[in-house]
């Protein structure tokens, strides 16, 4: 069995981004047959919606976008107006199966050009930046009553730092994949013994981290680059959320979507990684996919016209994806033509 490295630094990453008091929370014994999961993926850097979902039916598109239109490859047709970037065949398949929605020309209320402020607005759910105490997904967790299968005040944060969208009063379990194999299988046991003798609170966090890692498995061991890391994050999240006693609401943030230059090559890799991550959720064993919804959002869009370095600058409107077996999809707003 392959293990991943559990360093003190990583252990603290797992623990300090969370405030959990126990292991993955148990479900309440709620009535009903639905057992929904909801994952939000935040793309940091401002995704260019016109490259991800190009309006190929617009006669002005090719002239306006130049090389970004000509060299991106052949988009997968979605409708007479829109296509999907060729690096996203799995999302295209989910769309054709009626399990994905594409919301074009979407934007938060933020209209300036700061990534940090735009992310604050997107994730806090507030009308302006500077509200960093809690995210809207964390506040959603607090509203879940004991009669819901969504566990009250428990969420899952994937990544080294808990995204703002999931910060707040509700406790969250944190996990991030390691890309380095564990060189000594006995190390976790020795670390655990050390913490039990010297710091009981840290020992509790260590125990939770080890159990989380056991569920997530070897996700990340073979990751090479950002695209593989996206898949590893999705793999770990999907495994934990698929458990009967696992969290039902989660979030992850993925860096690397700012494309002032070399947009074609950057987005080809990034969109491919995102597409594989979405497929990973779908392919997780069990019936979980049928009750899963995944929202993909970014802080703002990019300029319609390209700049002088084969990229685009900060704009407003972008694109959002909603996919999953629980989604009644197959249309691309605002045209609504599937």
């Amino acid at each position: 069995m392959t293990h991943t490295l559990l360093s003190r630094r990583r252990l603290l990453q797992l623990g300090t981004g969370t405030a959990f008091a126990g292991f993955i929370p148990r479900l309440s014994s709620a009535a009903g047959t639905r057992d929904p999961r909801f994952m939000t993926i935040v793309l940091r850097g401002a995704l260019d919606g016109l490259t991800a979902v190009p309006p190929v039916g617009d006669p002005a598109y090719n002239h306006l976008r130049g090389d970004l239109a000509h060299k991106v490859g052949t988009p997968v047709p979605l409708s007479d107006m829109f296509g999907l970037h060729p690096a996203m065949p799995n999302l295209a398949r989910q769309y054709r199966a009626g399990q994905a929605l594409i919301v074009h020309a979407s934007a938060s209320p933020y209209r300036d050009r700061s990534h940090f402020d735009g992310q604050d607005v997107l994730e806090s759910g507030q009308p302006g930046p500077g509200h960093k105490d809690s995210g809207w997904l964390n506040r959603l967790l607090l509203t879940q009553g004991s009669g819901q299968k969504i566990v009250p005040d428990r969420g899952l944060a994937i990544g080294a730092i808990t995204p703002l969208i999931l910060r707040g009063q509700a406790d969250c379990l944190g996990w991030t994949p390691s890309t380095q194999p564990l060189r000594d299988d006995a190390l976790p046991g020795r670390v655990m013994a050390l913490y039990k003798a010297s710091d009981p609170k840290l020992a509790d966090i260590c125990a939770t981290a080890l159990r989380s890692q056991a569920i997530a498995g070897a996700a990340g061991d073979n990751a090479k680059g950002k695209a593989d890391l996206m898949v590893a994050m999705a793999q770990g999240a999907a495994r934990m959320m698929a458990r009967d006693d696992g969290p039902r609401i989660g979030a992850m943030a993925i860096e690397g979507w700012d494309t002032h230059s070399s947009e074609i090559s950057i987005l080809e890799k990034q969109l491919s990684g995102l597409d594989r991550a979405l497929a990973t959720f779908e392919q997780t064993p069990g019936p979980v996919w049928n009750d899963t919804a995944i929202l993909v959002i970014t802080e703002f869009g990019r300029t319609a016209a390209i700049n002088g370095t084969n990229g685009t600058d900060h704009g407003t409107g972008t694109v959002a994806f909603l996919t999953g077996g629980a989604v009644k999809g197959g249309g691309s707003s605002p045209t609504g033509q599937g």
Side-chain angles (χ1 to χ4, degrees), residues 1-6 10 14 23-24 173-180 182 188 206-221 232 236 239-240:
M1 178 178 177
T2 304
H3 297 273
T4 51
L5 177 65
L6 183 67
R10 180 157 182 259
L14 285 164
F23 184 48
I24 295 175
L173 174 71
W175 178 82
T176 187
S178 173
T179 57
Q180 299 182 34
L182 187 65
C206 182
T208 301
L210 292 174
R211 295 168 71 178
S212 299
Q213 185 61 50
I215 296 169
D221 279 4
R239 287 174 179 171
M240 285 188 270

PDB file of all heavy atoms in Angstrom, residues 1-6 10 14 23-24 173-180 182 188 206-221 232 236 239-240:
ATOM      1  N   MET A   1       0.847  -1.196   0.000  1.00  0.00           N
ATOM      2  CA  MET A   1       0.000   0.000   0.000  1.00  0.00           C
ATOM      3  C   MET A   1       0.880   1.244   0.000  1.00  0.00           C
ATOM      4  O   MET A   1       1.866   1.333   0.718  1.00  0.00           O
ATOM      5  CB  MET A   1      -0.897   0.008   1.243  1.00  0.00           C
ATOM      6  CG  MET A   1      -1.778   1.239   1.335  1.00  0.00           C
ATOM      7  SD  MET A   1      -2.845   1.137   2.783  1.00  0.00           S
ATOM      8  CE  MET A   1      -3.665   2.708   2.667  1.00  0.00           C
ATOM      9  N   THR A   2       0.563   2.212  -0.835  1.00  0.00           N
ATOM     10  CA  THR A   2       1.341   3.430  -0.902  1.00  0.00           C
ATOM     11  C   THR A   2       0.783   4.478   0.039  1.00  0.00           C
ATOM     12  O   THR A   2      -0.412   4.684   0.124  1.00  0.00           O
ATOM     13  CB  THR A   2       1.321   3.978  -2.331  1.00  0.00           C
ATOM     14  OG1 THR A   2       1.801   2.970  -3.211  1.00  0.00           O
ATOM     15  CG2 THR A   2       2.202   5.203  -2.445  1.00  0.00           C
ATOM     16  N   HIS A   3       1.648   5.165   0.745  1.00  0.00           N
ATOM     17  CA  HIS A   3       1.218   6.214   1.651  1.00  0.00           C
ATOM     18  C   HIS A   3       1.758   7.543   1.153  1.00  0.00           C
ATOM     19  O   HIS A   3       2.730   7.606   0.427  1.00  0.00           O
ATOM     20  CB  HIS A   3       1.760   5.949   3.059  1.00  0.00           C
ATOM     21  CG  HIS A   3       1.236   4.686   3.654  1.00  0.00           C
ATOM     22  ND1 HIS A   3       0.066   4.620   4.355  1.00  0.00           N
ATOM     23  CD2 HIS A   3       1.731   3.416   3.626  1.00  0.00           C
ATOM     24  CE1 HIS A   3      -0.142   3.377   4.759  1.00  0.00           C
ATOM     25  NE2 HIS A   3       0.857   2.625   4.322  1.00  0.00           N
ATOM     26  N   THR A   4       1.154   8.607   1.565  1.00  0.00           N
ATOM     27  CA  THR A   4       1.646   9.924   1.218  1.00  0.00           C
ATOM     28  C   THR A   4       2.324  10.542   2.413  1.00  0.00           C
ATOM     29  O   THR A   4       2.080  10.179   3.552  1.00  0.00           O
ATOM     30  CB  THR A   4       0.506  10.839   0.758  1.00  0.00           C
ATOM     31  OG1 THR A   4      -0.523  10.790   1.731  1.00  0.00           O
ATOM     32  CG2 THR A   4      -0.016  10.390  -0.571  1.00  0.00           C
ATOM     33  N   LEU A   5       3.209  11.478   2.139  1.00  0.00           N
ATOM     34  CA  LEU A   5       3.981  12.122   3.174  1.00  0.00           C
ATOM     35  C   LEU A   5       3.078  12.905   4.113  1.00  0.00           C
ATOM     36  O   LEU A   5       2.215  13.648   3.684  1.00  0.00           O
ATOM     37  CB  LEU A   5       4.988  13.073   2.531  1.00  0.00           C
ATOM     38  CG  LEU A   5       5.847  13.892   3.489  1.00  0.00           C
ATOM     39  CD1 LEU A   5       6.749  12.970   4.280  1.00  0.00           C
ATOM     40  CD2 LEU A   5       6.650  14.915   2.714  1.00  0.00           C
ATOM     41  N   LEU A   6       3.280  12.735   5.400  1.00  0.00           N
ATOM     42  CA  LEU A   6       2.534  13.494   6.388  1.00  0.00           C
ATOM     43  C   LEU A   6       3.550  14.235   7.249  1.00  0.00           C
ATOM     44  O   LEU A   6       4.011  13.746   8.250  1.00  0.00           O
ATOM     45  CB  LEU A   6       1.674  12.579   7.258  1.00  0.00           C
ATOM     46  CG  LEU A   6       0.791  13.314   8.272  1.00  0.00           C
ATOM     47  CD1 LEU A   6      -0.278  14.109   7.554  1.00  0.00           C
ATOM     48  CD2 LEU A   6       0.151  12.323   9.229  1.00  0.00           C
ATOM     49  N   ARG A  10       2.475  19.730   6.855  1.00  0.00           N
ATOM     50  CA  ARG A  10       1.233  19.322   6.194  1.00  0.00           C
ATOM     51  C   ARG A  10       0.148  19.016   7.217  1.00  0.00           C
ATOM     52  O   ARG A  10      -1.026  19.301   7.021  1.00  0.00           O
ATOM     53  CB  ARG A  10       1.499  18.099   5.328  1.00  0.00           C
ATOM     54  CG  ARG A  10       0.240  17.645   4.619  1.00  0.00           C
ATOM     55  CD  ARG A  10       0.578  16.846   3.379  1.00  0.00           C
ATOM     56  NE  ARG A  10      -0.666  16.502   2.747  1.00  0.00           N
ATOM     57  CZ  ARG A  10      -1.233  15.306   2.855  1.00  0.00           C
ATOM     58  NH1 ARG A  10      -0.656  14.370   3.548  1.00  0.00           N
ATOM     59  NH2 ARG A  10      -2.372  15.066   2.267  1.00  0.00           N
ATOM     60  N   LEU A  14      -3.536  20.634   7.467  1.00  0.00           N
ATOM     61  CA  LEU A  14      -4.791  19.900   7.593  1.00  0.00           C
ATOM     62  C   LEU A  14      -5.597  20.386   8.784  1.00  0.00           C
ATOM     63  O   LEU A  14      -6.813  20.415   8.754  1.00  0.00           O
ATOM     64  CB  LEU A  14      -4.498  18.400   7.756  1.00  0.00           C
ATOM     65  CG  LEU A  14      -4.061  17.669   6.504  1.00  0.00           C
ATOM     66  CD1 LEU A  14      -3.438  16.339   6.888  1.00  0.00           C
ATOM     67  CD2 LEU A  14      -5.223  17.475   5.573  1.00  0.00           C
ATOM     68  N   PHE A  23     -13.758  13.335  13.937  1.00  0.00           N
ATOM     69  CA  PHE A  23     -13.506  12.862  12.585  1.00  0.00           C
ATOM     70  C   PHE A  23     -14.653  13.273  11.688  1.00  0.00           C
ATOM     71  O   PHE A  23     -15.522  14.035  12.064  1.00  0.00           O
ATOM     72  CB  PHE A  23     -13.334  11.335  12.635  1.00  0.00           C
ATOM     73  CG  PHE A  23     -12.971  10.719  11.320  1.00  0.00           C
ATOM     74  CD1 PHE A  23     -11.956  11.257  10.551  1.00  0.00           C
ATOM     75  CD2 PHE A  23     -13.640   9.611  10.856  1.00  0.00           C
ATOM     76  CE1 PHE A  23     -11.612  10.694   9.339  1.00  0.00           C
ATOM     77  CE2 PHE A  23     -13.310   9.036   9.657  1.00  0.00           C
ATOM     78  CZ  PHE A  23     -12.298   9.579   8.902  1.00  0.00           C
ATOM     79  N   ILE A  24     -14.665  12.814  10.454  1.00  0.00           N
ATOM     80  CA  ILE A  24     -15.731  13.166   9.537  1.00  0.00           C
ATOM     81  C   ILE A  24     -17.071  12.936  10.218  1.00  0.00           C
ATOM     82  O   ILE A  24     -17.336  11.853  10.734  1.00  0.00           O
ATOM     83  CB  ILE A  24     -15.631  12.318   8.268  1.00  0.00           C
ATOM     84  CG1 ILE A  24     -14.334  12.682   7.530  1.00  0.00           C
ATOM     85  CG2 ILE A  24     -16.822  12.530   7.366  1.00  0.00           C
ATOM     86  CD1 ILE A  24     -14.082  11.832   6.331  1.00  0.00           C
ATOM     87  N   LEU A 173     -13.652  20.015   7.676  1.00  0.00           N
ATOM     88  CA  LEU A 173     -12.539  19.084   7.573  1.00  0.00           C
ATOM     89  C   LEU A 173     -11.645  19.554   6.435  1.00  0.00           C
ATOM     90  O   LEU A 173     -12.147  19.939   5.381  1.00  0.00           O
ATOM     91  CB  LEU A 173     -13.062  17.683   7.270  1.00  0.00           C
ATOM     92  CG  LEU A 173     -12.019  16.595   6.984  1.00  0.00           C
ATOM     93  CD1 LEU A 173     -11.289  16.236   8.272  1.00  0.00           C
ATOM     94  CD2 LEU A 173     -12.677  15.372   6.388  1.00  0.00           C
ATOM     95  N   GLY A 174     -10.336  19.554   6.649  1.00  0.00           N
ATOM     96  CA  GLY A 174      -9.414  19.972   5.600  1.00  0.00           C
ATOM     97  C   GLY A 174      -8.556  18.821   5.117  1.00  0.00           C
ATOM     98  O   GLY A 174      -8.148  17.962   5.907  1.00  0.00           O
ATOM     99  N   TRP A 175      -8.295  18.806   3.834  1.00  0.00           N
ATOM    100  CA  TRP A 175      -7.409  17.777   3.265  1.00  0.00           C
ATOM    101  C   TRP A 175      -6.775  18.335   2.000  1.00  0.00           C
ATOM    102  O   TRP A 175      -7.419  19.081   1.242  1.00  0.00           O
ATOM    103  CB  TRP A 175      -8.194  16.510   2.906  1.00  0.00           C
ATOM    104  CG  TRP A 175      -7.332  15.448   2.269  1.00  0.00           C
ATOM    105  CD1 TRP A 175      -6.530  14.548   2.899  1.00  0.00           C
ATOM    106  CD2 TRP A 175      -7.168  15.212   0.867  1.00  0.00           C
ATOM    107  NE1 TRP A 175      -5.885  13.771   1.982  1.00  0.00           N
ATOM    108  CE2 TRP A 175      -6.251  14.151   0.738  1.00  0.00           C
ATOM    109  CE3 TRP A 175      -7.692  15.809  -0.281  1.00  0.00           C
ATOM    110  CZ2 TRP A 175      -5.852  13.666  -0.511  1.00  0.00           C
ATOM    111  CZ3 TRP A 175      -7.299  15.328  -1.525  1.00  0.00           C
ATOM    112  CH2 TRP A 175      -6.399  14.259  -1.626  1.00  0.00           C
ATOM    113  N   THR A 176      -5.515  17.986   1.794  1.00  0.00           N
ATOM    114  CA  THR A 176      -4.846  18.366   0.558  1.00  0.00           C
ATOM    115  C   THR A 176      -3.951  17.222   0.116  1.00  0.00           C
ATOM    116  O   THR A 176      -3.345  16.545   0.959  1.00  0.00           O
ATOM    117  CB  THR A 176      -4.015  19.648   0.756  1.00  0.00           C
ATOM    118  OG1 THR A 176      -3.508  20.094  -0.499  1.00  0.00           O
ATOM    119  CG2 THR A 176      -2.860  19.425   1.715  1.00  0.00           C
ATOM    120  N   PRO A 177      -3.888  16.941  -1.177  1.00  0.00           N
ATOM    121  CA  PRO A 177      -3.047  15.821  -1.617  1.00  0.00           C
ATOM    122  C   PRO A 177      -1.571  16.159  -1.517  1.00  0.00           C
ATOM    123  O   PRO A 177      -1.182  17.311  -1.657  1.00  0.00           O
ATOM    124  CB  PRO A 177      -3.470  15.633  -3.084  1.00  0.00           C
ATOM    125  CG  PRO A 177      -3.976  16.973  -3.513  1.00  0.00           C
ATOM    126  CD  PRO A 177      -4.598  17.591  -2.292  1.00  0.00           C
ATOM    127  N   SER A 178      -0.776  15.155  -1.263  1.00  0.00           N
ATOM    128  CA  SER A 178       0.676  15.309  -1.262  1.00  0.00           C
ATOM    129  C   SER A 178       1.220  14.688  -2.535  1.00  0.00           C
ATOM    130  O   SER A 178       0.765  13.637  -2.970  1.00  0.00           O
ATOM    131  CB  SER A 178       1.289  14.608  -0.047  1.00  0.00           C
ATOM    132  OG  SER A 178       2.707  14.622  -0.140  1.00  0.00           O
ATOM    133  N   THR A 179       2.182  15.361  -3.131  1.00  0.00           N
ATOM    134  CA  THR A 179       2.776  14.833  -4.369  1.00  0.00           C
ATOM    135  C   THR A 179       4.071  14.080  -4.091  1.00  0.00           C
ATOM    136  O   THR A 179       4.755  13.672  -5.010  1.00  0.00           O
ATOM    137  CB  THR A 179       3.052  15.975  -5.349  1.00  0.00           C
ATOM    138  OG1 THR A 179       3.900  16.943  -4.726  1.00  0.00           O
ATOM    139  CG2 THR A 179       1.755  16.638  -5.773  1.00  0.00           C
ATOM    140  N   GLN A 180       4.396  13.900  -2.805  1.00  0.00           N
ATOM    141  CA  GLN A 180       5.631  13.203  -2.468  1.00  0.00           C
ATOM    142  C   GLN A 180       5.301  11.932  -1.683  1.00  0.00           C
ATOM    143  O   GLN A 180       4.563  11.989  -0.690  1.00  0.00           O
ATOM    144  CB  GLN A 180       6.536  14.094  -1.623  1.00  0.00           C
ATOM    145  CG  GLN A 180       6.941  15.380  -2.332  1.00  0.00           C
ATOM    146  CD  GLN A 180       7.865  16.212  -1.471  1.00  0.00           C
ATOM    147  OE1 GLN A 180       8.675  15.697  -0.716  1.00  0.00           O
ATOM    148  NE2 GLN A 180       7.731  17.515  -1.582  1.00  0.00           N
ATOM    149  N   LEU A 182       5.581   8.825   0.926  1.00  0.00           N
ATOM    150  CA  LEU A 182       6.138   8.673   2.268  1.00  0.00           C
ATOM    151  C   LEU A 182       7.323   7.724   2.216  1.00  0.00           C
ATOM    152  O   LEU A 182       7.222   6.611   1.705  1.00  0.00           O
ATOM    153  CB  LEU A 182       5.064   8.119   3.202  1.00  0.00           C
ATOM    154  CG  LEU A 182       5.411   8.054   4.687  1.00  0.00           C
ATOM    155  CD1 LEU A 182       5.597   9.454   5.246  1.00  0.00           C
ATOM    156  CD2 LEU A 182       4.300   7.331   5.445  1.00  0.00           C
ATOM    157  N   PRO A 188       4.308   8.059  10.492  1.00  0.00           N
ATOM    158  CA  PRO A 188       3.076   8.580  11.111  1.00  0.00           C
ATOM    159  C   PRO A 188       2.851   8.066  12.521  1.00  0.00           C
ATOM    160  O   PRO A 188       2.410   8.807  13.393  1.00  0.00           O
ATOM    161  CB  PRO A 188       1.981   8.090  10.148  1.00  0.00           C
ATOM    162  CG  PRO A 188       2.671   7.935   8.834  1.00  0.00           C
ATOM    163  CD  PRO A 188       4.047   7.452   9.177  1.00  0.00           C
ATOM    164  N   CYS A 206      -3.794  15.119  14.485  1.00  0.00           N
ATOM    165  CA  CYS A 206      -3.010  14.121  13.762  1.00  0.00           C
ATOM    166  C   CYS A 206      -3.848  12.880  13.469  1.00  0.00           C
ATOM    167  O   CYS A 206      -3.811  12.340  12.356  1.00  0.00           O
ATOM    168  CB  CYS A 206      -1.774  13.748  14.574  1.00  0.00           C
ATOM    169  SG  CYS A 206      -0.691  12.557  13.761  1.00  0.00           S
ATOM    170  N   ALA A 207      -4.626  12.446  14.467  1.00  0.00           N
ATOM    171  CA  ALA A 207      -5.462  11.260  14.269  1.00  0.00           C
ATOM    172  C   ALA A 207      -6.485  11.501  13.168  1.00  0.00           C
ATOM    173  O   ALA A 207      -6.729  10.637  12.319  1.00  0.00           O
ATOM    174  CB  ALA A 207      -6.163  10.914  15.583  1.00  0.00           C
ATOM    175  N   THR A 208      -7.080  12.692  13.167  1.00  0.00           N
ATOM    176  CA  THR A 208      -8.053  13.024  12.123  1.00  0.00           C
ATOM    177  C   THR A 208      -7.394  13.053  10.754  1.00  0.00           C
ATOM    178  O   THR A 208      -7.942  12.555   9.761  1.00  0.00           O
ATOM    179  CB  THR A 208      -8.691  14.395  12.429  1.00  0.00           C
ATOM    180  OG1 THR A 208      -9.320  14.341  13.704  1.00  0.00           O
ATOM    181  CG2 THR A 208      -9.724  14.759  11.376  1.00  0.00           C
ATOM    182  N   ALA A 209      -6.209  13.643  10.690  1.00  0.00           N
ATOM    183  CA  ALA A 209      -5.505  13.735   9.414  1.00  0.00           C
ATOM    184  C   ALA A 209      -5.162  12.355   8.865  1.00  0.00           C
ATOM    185  O   ALA A 209      -5.313  12.080   7.673  1.00  0.00           O
ATOM    186  CB  ALA A 209      -4.241  14.574   9.581  1.00  0.00           C
ATOM    187  N   LEU A 210      -4.717  11.470   9.742  1.00  0.00           N
ATOM    188  CA  LEU A 210      -4.359  10.123   9.298  1.00  0.00           C
ATOM    189  C   LEU A 210      -5.578   9.363   8.786  1.00  0.00           C
ATOM    190  O   LEU A 210      -5.504   8.644   7.784  1.00  0.00           O
ATOM    191  CB  LEU A 210      -3.695   9.362  10.443  1.00  0.00           C
ATOM    192  CG  LEU A 210      -2.310   9.866  10.877  1.00  0.00           C
ATOM    193  CD1 LEU A 210      -1.831   9.132  12.116  1.00  0.00           C
ATOM    194  CD2 LEU A 210      -1.312   9.695   9.731  1.00  0.00           C
ATOM    195  N   ARG A 211      -6.691   9.531   9.468  1.00  0.00           N
ATOM    196  CA  ARG A 211      -7.907   8.832   9.036  1.00  0.00           C
ATOM    197  C   ARG A 211      -8.430   9.426   7.731  1.00  0.00           C
ATOM    198  O   ARG A 211      -8.910   8.707   6.857  1.00  0.00           O
ATOM    199  CB  ARG A 211      -8.951   8.894  10.148  1.00  0.00           C
ATOM    200  CG  ARG A 211      -8.507   8.137  11.405  1.00  0.00           C
ATOM    201  CD  ARG A 211      -9.379   8.431  12.593  1.00  0.00           C
ATOM    202  NE  ARG A 211     -10.701   7.833  12.473  1.00  0.00           N
ATOM    203  CZ  ARG A 211     -11.628   7.930  13.417  1.00  0.00           C
ATOM    204  NH1 ARG A 211     -11.366   8.596  14.523  1.00  0.00           N
ATOM    205  NH2 ARG A 211     -12.795   7.357  13.251  1.00  0.00           N
ATOM    206  N   SER A 212      -8.331  10.733   7.579  1.00  0.00           N
ATOM    207  CA  SER A 212      -8.736  11.359   6.320  1.00  0.00           C
ATOM    208  C   SER A 212      -7.861  10.868   5.168  1.00  0.00           C
ATOM    209  O   SER A 212      -8.341  10.573   4.077  1.00  0.00           O
ATOM    210  CB  SER A 212      -8.637  12.886   6.435  1.00  0.00           C
ATOM    211  OG  SER A 212      -9.476  13.376   7.441  1.00  0.00           O
ATOM    212  N   GLN A 213      -6.565  10.783   5.442  1.00  0.00           N
ATOM    213  CA  GLN A 213      -5.640  10.337   4.408  1.00  0.00           C
ATOM    214  C   GLN A 213      -5.928   8.902   4.007  1.00  0.00           C
ATOM    215  O   GLN A 213      -5.835   8.529   2.833  1.00  0.00           O
ATOM    216  CB  GLN A 213      -4.206  10.463   4.899  1.00  0.00           C
ATOM    217  CG  GLN A 213      -3.164  10.139   3.835  1.00  0.00           C
ATOM    218  CD  GLN A 213      -3.262  11.083   2.650  1.00  0.00           C
ATOM    219  OE1 GLN A 213      -3.293  12.301   2.818  1.00  0.00           O
ATOM    220  NE2 GLN A 213      -3.373  10.535   1.450  1.00  0.00           N
ATOM    221  N   ALA A 214      -6.317   8.088   4.988  1.00  0.00           N
ATOM    222  CA  ALA A 214      -6.625   6.694   4.685  1.00  0.00           C
ATOM    223  C   ALA A 214      -7.829   6.597   3.751  1.00  0.00           C
ATOM    224  O   ALA A 214      -7.886   5.736   2.869  1.00  0.00           O
ATOM    225  CB  ALA A 214      -6.895   5.934   5.984  1.00  0.00           C
ATOM    226  N   ILE A 215      -8.802   7.495   3.919  1.00  0.00           N
ATOM    227  CA  ILE A 215      -9.980   7.493   3.048  1.00  0.00           C
ATOM    228  C   ILE A 215      -9.622   8.007   1.667  1.00  0.00           C
ATOM    229  O   ILE A 215     -10.004   7.445   0.642  1.00  0.00           O
ATOM    230  CB  ILE A 215     -11.089   8.362   3.662  1.00  0.00           C
ATOM    231  CG1 ILE A 215     -11.555   7.773   4.995  1.00  0.00           C
ATOM    232  CG2 ILE A 215     -12.275   8.480   2.695  1.00  0.00           C
ATOM    233  CD1 ILE A 215     -12.452   8.700   5.774  1.00  0.00           C
ATOM    234  N   ALA A 216      -8.876   9.113   1.633  1.00  0.00           N
ATOM    235  CA  ALA A 216      -8.519   9.714   0.341  1.00  0.00           C
ATOM    236  C   ALA A 216      -7.613   8.791  -0.461  1.00  0.00           C
ATOM    237  O   ALA A 216      -7.570   8.871  -1.689  1.00  0.00           O
ATOM    238  CB  ALA A 216      -7.855  11.065   0.567  1.00  0.00           C
ATOM    239  N   GLY A 217      -6.874   7.927   0.238  1.00  0.00           N
ATOM    240  CA  GLY A 217      -6.024   6.975  -0.454  1.00  0.00           C
ATOM    241  C   GLY A 217      -4.782   7.627  -1.016  1.00  0.00           C
ATOM    242  O   GLY A 217      -4.256   8.592  -0.474  1.00  0.00           O
ATOM    243  N   ALA A 218      -4.328   7.130  -2.150  1.00  0.00           N
ATOM    244  CA  ALA A 218      -3.055   7.575  -2.724  1.00  0.00           C
ATOM    245  C   ALA A 218      -3.232   8.732  -3.687  1.00  0.00           C
ATOM    246  O   ALA A 218      -2.380   8.973  -4.526  1.00  0.00           O
ATOM    247  CB  ALA A 218      -2.375   6.403  -3.422  1.00  0.00           C
ATOM    248  N   ALA A 219      -4.335   9.466  -3.573  1.00  0.00           N
ATOM    249  CA  ALA A 219      -4.561  10.585  -4.478  1.00  0.00           C
ATOM    250  C   ALA A 219      -3.390  11.548  -4.425  1.00  0.00           C
ATOM    251  O   ALA A 219      -2.992  12.005  -3.376  1.00  0.00           O
ATOM    252  CB  ALA A 219      -5.851  11.311  -4.094  1.00  0.00           C
ATOM    253  N   GLY A 220      -2.818  11.861  -5.581  1.00  0.00           N
ATOM    254  CA  GLY A 220      -1.731  12.818  -5.649  1.00  0.00           C
ATOM    255  C   GLY A 220      -0.355  12.203  -5.759  1.00  0.00           C
ATOM    256  O   GLY A 220       0.604  12.890  -6.096  1.00  0.00           O
ATOM    257  N   ASP A 221      -0.229  10.897  -5.498  1.00  0.00           N
ATOM    258  CA  ASP A 221       1.099  10.283  -5.503  1.00  0.00           C
ATOM    259  C   ASP A 221       1.797  10.391  -6.850  1.00  0.00           C
ATOM    260  O   ASP A 221       3.014  10.502  -6.924  1.00  0.00           O
ATOM    261  CB  ASP A 221       1.000   8.809  -5.095  1.00  0.00           C
ATOM    262  CG  ASP A 221       0.912   8.664  -3.581  1.00  0.00           C
ATOM    263  OD1 ASP A 221       0.852   9.705  -2.910  1.00  0.00           O
ATOM    264  OD2 ASP A 221       0.908   7.525  -3.103  1.00  0.00           O
ATOM    265  N   ALA A 232      -6.082  14.963  -8.576  1.00  0.00           N
ATOM    266  CA  ALA A 232      -5.834  14.400  -7.244  1.00  0.00           C
ATOM    267  C   ALA A 232      -6.755  15.031  -6.204  1.00  0.00           C
ATOM    268  O   ALA A 232      -7.283  14.345  -5.318  1.00  0.00           O
ATOM    269  CB  ALA A 232      -4.373  14.613  -6.863  1.00  0.00           C
ATOM    270  N   GLY A 236      -9.541  12.813  -4.060  1.00  0.00           N
ATOM    271  CA  GLY A 236      -9.654  12.767  -2.610  1.00  0.00           C
ATOM    272  C   GLY A 236     -11.006  13.261  -2.128  1.00  0.00           C
ATOM    273  O   GLY A 236     -11.626  12.658  -1.240  1.00  0.00           O
ATOM    274  N   ARG A 239     -13.831  10.698  -2.920  1.00  0.00           N
ATOM    275  CA  ARG A 239     -13.802   9.525  -2.043  1.00  0.00           C
ATOM    276  C   ARG A 239     -14.373   9.848  -0.669  1.00  0.00           C
ATOM    277  O   ARG A 239     -15.111   9.052  -0.083  1.00  0.00           O
ATOM    278  CB  ARG A 239     -12.362   9.013  -1.911  1.00  0.00           C
ATOM    279  CG  ARG A 239     -11.851   8.319  -3.170  1.00  0.00           C
ATOM    280  CD  ARG A 239     -10.385   7.972  -3.041  1.00  0.00           C
ATOM    281  NE  ARG A 239      -9.888   7.276  -4.224  1.00  0.00           N
ATOM    282  CZ  ARG A 239      -8.606   7.012  -4.451  1.00  0.00           C
ATOM    283  NH1 ARG A 239      -7.695   7.383  -3.566  1.00  0.00           N
ATOM    284  NH2 ARG A 239      -8.247   6.385  -5.538  1.00  0.00           N
ATOM    285  N   MET A 240     -14.018  11.012  -0.131  1.00  0.00           N
ATOM    286  CA  MET A 240     -14.520  11.364   1.203  1.00  0.00           C
ATOM    287  C   MET A 240     -16.010  11.676   1.174  1.00  0.00           C
ATOM    288  O   MET A 240     -16.756  11.283   2.067  1.00  0.00           O
ATOM    289  CB  MET A 240     -13.717  12.543   1.761  1.00  0.00           C
ATOM    290  CG  MET A 240     -12.318  12.136   2.232  1.00  0.00           C
ATOM    291  SD  MET A 240     -11.418  13.441   3.089  1.00  0.00           S
ATOM    292  CE  MET A 240     -10.607  14.205   1.691  1.00  0.00           C
TER     293      MET A 240
END
